[in-house]
Each structure stands twice: as C-alpha cells, then as structure tokens.
Amino acid sequence: MDYINAFWVGGLICALAQILLEKTKMMPGRIMVLLVVSGAILGFLGIYEPFQEFAGAGASVPLLGFGNVLMKGVREAVDENGFIGLFMGGFKSGAVGTSAALIFGYLASLVFSSKMRK
C-alpha cells in the first residue's frame, strides 16, 4: 500500500504542477519556487510530517520535500545558533541534495555528448 500511496500522491503533485504550467502564464521557474515555498510553509505549520508519513516518497521526492528539508534545517539551526541560524540552516540541510544534483549532472555530461542548439 505504501507504493500505491507514493505513486498517486507524487502523481497528483506533478499533475497539479503540469496544470499550473499549461493553464496559467506562470513560467516553470516560478512553479518550482511555488512548490518549494509550499513545502516550507507546510513544514512550518506541522502539516508536512503527517503528509509525508502517509505518502512516503511521493511527498518527499518532489520539490515540496526539498522545501520541507530546508525548513527543518533552518528550524534546527535557529534552535542551536539563534538568529544567525536563519542564514545557516538552509545551506546545511540542502547541501547534500544540491551537491548530488551537481555531481550527477556533471557525470551525465561526461557520459553523454551534448551538442549546442543553433
């Protein structure tokens, strides 16, 4: 049942993002920011944890999950370091995901030969 919940919740999140992309004049970057900010707000309100328990990877893999990870990192850093934690927490908690994206993107560019579009 975990796989089914992850599949339909993740699919619903992606479908809603696709609907926003096609039915509004929002650019993809703005939709991505909207998803990250929504995940951070849901994490701040304490709604995201039960949602993630239910949906598993369907909730943690999309950009909503990244926003939640950033919010958790900021919350922990503020508890440890006070006000300066607002600026440290997001970098610390998001470093692994961002580094992995950069490393795997670089490795993919070495494996596949890309060509410039004209």
Side-chain angles (χ1 to χ4, degrees), residues 99-115:
S99 298
L102 290 171
I103 290 167
F104 289 125
Y106 178 71
L107 290 175
S109 73
L110 293 177
V111 172
F112 301 101
S113 61
S114 61
K115 295 181 176 64

Side-chain angles (χ1 to χ4, degrees), residues 36-60:
V36 172
V37 170
S38 297
I41 290 171
L42 291 174
F44 175 75
L45 296 174
I47 298 171
Y48 200 82
E49 289 299 322
F51 176 62
Q52 189 173 4
E53 288 287 324
F54 172 74
S60 62

Side-chain angles (χ1 to χ4, degrees), residues 38-116:
S38 297
I41 290 171
L42 291 174
F44 175 75
L45 296 174
I47 298 171
Y48 200 82
E49 289 299 322
F51 176 62
Q52 189 173 4
E53 288 287 324
F54 172 74
S60 62
V61 174
L63 287 171
L64 286 172
F66 185 65
N68 184 48
V69 166
L70 291 177
M71 178 53 69
K72 266 199 245 180
V74 168
R75 184 178 295 147
E76 291 172 5
V78 167
D79 290 341
E80 291 175 12
N81 303 317
F83 180 74
I84 195 72
L86 285 172
F87 307 103
M88 296 171 36
F91 290 114
K92 187 176 176 184
S93 65
V96 173
T98 305
S99 298
L102 290 171
I103 290 167
F104 289 125
Y106 178 71
L107 290 175
S109 73
L110 293 177
V111 172
F112 301 101
S113 61
S114 61
K115 295 181 176 64
M116 295 293 292

Side-chain angles (χ1 to χ4, degrees), residues 5-71:
N5 286 339
F7 178 77
W8 76 263
V9 170
L12 183 65
I13 293 169
C14 293
L16 291 173
Q18 187 67 37
I19 289 169
L20 281 175
L21 187 62
E22 291 182 10
K23 299 295 181 185
T24 66
K25 293 185 182 199
M26 292 178 71
M27 299 299 289
R30 291 184 185 217
I31 294 172
M32 290 171 52
V33 168
L34 179 69
L35 289 170
V36 172
V37 170
S38 297
I41 290 171
L42 291 174
F44 175 75
L45 296 174
I47 298 171
Y48 200 82
E49 289 299 322
F51 176 62
Q52 189 173 4
E53 288 287 324
F54 172 74
S60 62
V61 174
L63 287 171
L64 286 172
F66 185 65
N68 184 48
V69 166
L70 291 177
M71 178 53 69

